[in-house]
Amino acid sequence: MNRRHCAAAAITLVCALAVLTVPTQAFATPAPPSPSHSSSPTAPAVPQGKSLEEVRQEIDALYRKAGAATDAYNLAEEQAKKQSGEIVKLAQAIVAGQAKIADLKSRAGAQAREQYRTGGLPPGAQMMLSDDPRLFMDGVNRVWQGQQAAKGVLGELTRTQEDLEAYTRDASSNWKKLEANRLKQAKAKKRINGQIAAAKKLESQLEKEERARLLELEQEAEYKAQTAWLGSGALKEINREASARGKKAVAFATAQIGKPYVWGAEGPGSYDCSGLTSQAWAAAGRPIPRTSQEQWRQLPHIAVKDMRPGDLIIYHGDASHVGMYIGDGAIVHAPRPGRNVTLAGAGSMEILGVVRPDR
């Protein structure tokens, strides 16, 4: 009965489960940002007496934290999908095992009923009592075959029951993992929404002129980083051609330019950073991990000087952002909430390293 309850509980769980803004551009030779036109001495003060640059850095830090939490959310979601699929397969195995046990019990019962009808002696044993030598030998063979068949049924029944218990334990374990990953998702979602809300609140406290100047400061920071990267000579040896799949991935990614960033999104109407890169490579026929951190961990690393279009550049020390290199010192990426998929300088952010999906 315990086995039945465990199996039924696992199947029940599975059944419940079943119903269950302005784009910016920066290239290899970026143009310097336009001078500000909002330097009126009567412009209102920024929040809490901070400089606009300090506000920009604070907003950037909040979105960076939201990006890291988004990666955690995406990974937990991917793992939850995997565990859901495994639970469904285990439930199917449990159902098949129960049907097999029912069949084996029926066969064992038939053998027992046959023995009862013949007074406890199978037909072969009765023939062994015959004085006819041929019937006697035939009876010996039948008894041996009957014994082997009975042993086979009982052995198979035992093995199937053990398998069923293992399937039930695995289903229970995967269900616990599923619930743990759902909890991780919920926590990550709360962190993401909190960080984005805090960043939006900071921006909402700015006047229109200050928000325009804030965008200019973002562009200036990207331009400064890109110029420094180019000045290091990093681009001198980067002149390789994309692979056939790399060209398809680049074509897909650049076709998404102008679509909004939405955390956790994988298209077709919106994307987050790793949603864009993973879908681009899926479209090229090479599925890759969903998150930027897993892309960094699992895909082959290459030197920046060996980079070619289609390669993925992983950013920041925690691998919380990713863009696709498209050549000429530029990437296509989904920057952050409030921004659209756009082109940017490959060196406009802190580069952690480069990975190649089709190496």
Side-chain angles (χ1 to χ4, degrees):
M1 289 299 291
N2 289 335
R3 292 171 182 159
R4 291 180 182 175
H5 287 317
C6 289
I11 296 169
T12 301
L13 293 176
V14 175
C15 292
L17 176 65
V19 295
L20 298 176
T21 126
V22 180
T24 63
Q25 295 187 353
F27 303 94
T29 54
S34 303
S36 171
H37 298 287
S38 57
S39 56
S40 169
T42 59
V46 296
Q48 302 173 4
K50 298 177 181 177
S51 71
L52 198 56
E53 174 59 19
E54 287 175 327
V55 172
R56 184 198 70 78
Q57 291 178 3
E58 189 173 346
I59 289 173
D60 184 62
L62 287 167
Y63 280 127
R64 282 272 312 280
K65 291 177 181 177
T70 297
D71 228 36
Y73 175 91
N74 289 336
L75 181 59
E77 182 181 46
E78 190 175 39
Q79 291 173 336
K81 286 179 181 177
K82 180 181 178 182
Q83 264 120 33
S84 295
E86 289 175 353
I87 289 172
V88 170
K89 289 179 182 177
L90 286 166
Q92 291 171 341
I94 288 170
V95 171
Q98 288 178 321
K100 187 175 182 180
I101 285 175
D103 177 63
L104 290 169
K105 286 182 175 178
S106 175
R107 286 162 58 188
Q111 290 178 346
R113 287 192 295 274
E114 178 64 24
Q115 287 187 1
Y116 177 78
R117 284 196 299 270
T118 57
L121 291 175
Q126 293 176 347
M127 293 174 69
M128 287 175 64
L129 301 177
S130 171
D131 293 332
D132 188 324
R134 287 174 299 179
L135 291 177
F136 177 82
M137 291 306 299
D138 188 41
V140 170
N141 287 332
R142 288 195 183 187
V143 168
W144 183 84
Q145 291 173 358
Q147 288 174 340
Q148 294 304 309
K151 287 180 181 179
V153 169
L154 293 175
E156 192 173 359
L157 181 59
T158 300
R159 288 192 299 272
T160 303
Q161 287 175 328
E162 289 173 350
D163 288 343
L164 190 59
E165 289 172 356
Y167 294 149
T168 303
R169 286 194 301 270
D170 289 345
S172 177
S173 174
N174 276 297
W175 183 263
K176 289 177 182 177
K177 290 177 183 177
L178 177 65
E179 290 304 303
N181 281 316
R182 282 180 170 168
L183 184 60
K184 288 179 184 177
Q185 279 182 271
K187 289 181 178 178
K189 183 177 182 179
K190 186 176 181 180
R191 286 197 302 273
I192 294 164
N193 288 332
Q195 304 291 357
I196 292 176
K200 287 183 176 179
K201 183 178 179 181
L202 272 176
E203 286 192 79
S204 70
Q205 294 173 11
L206 300 174
E207 297 295 332
K208 181 179 179 180
E209 294 83 0
E210 289 176 325
R211 287 197 294 272
R213 177 58 184 152
L214 185 69
L215 178 57
E216 289 176 3
L217 288 174
E218 287 181 14
Q219 293 172 335
E220 287 172 6
E222 291 177 1
Y223 170 77
K224 183 178 179 181
Q226 175 74 350
T227 301
W229 183 67
L230 294 174
S232 70
L235 198 60
K236 288 182 180 179
E237 298 181 41
I238 303 177
N239 57 1
R240 290 164 182 79
E241 193 173 328
S243 65
R245 281 185 172 177
K247 289 178 181 178
K248 291 180 181 179
V250 169
F252 179 94
T254 52
Q256 313 312 310
I257 290 174
K259 294 182 179 180
Y261 176 105
V262 174
W263 67 265
E266 299 178 79
S270 58
Y271 296 88
D272 63 20
C273 66
S274 57
L276 176 65
T277 54
S278 61
Q279 288 302 305
W281 272 101
R286 170 69 171 95
I288 63 173
R290 168 65 176 89
T291 71
S292 59
Q293 291 178 346
E294 289 301 295
Q295 288 169 7
W296 174 245
R297 189 176 71 85
Q298 296 185 36
L299 298 179
H301 293 202
I302 63 166
V304 172
K305 65 182 180 63
D306 296 326
M307 197 161 54
R308 70 187 185 194
D311 290 343
L312 305 181
I313 304 181
I314 309 298
Y315 293 98
H316 310 307
D318 58 358
S320 58
H321 191 69
V322 60
M324 179 180 290
Y325 186 64
I326 61 170
D328 294 327
I331 61 166
V332 59
H333 73 142
R336 65 165 177 82
R339 299 287 184 263
N340 298 332
V341 175
T342 188
L343 300 180
S348 60
M349 295 169 283
E350 176 196 359
I351 294 177
L352 176 62
V354 181
V355 295
R356 177 166 293 166
D358 61 341
R359 186 171 180 176

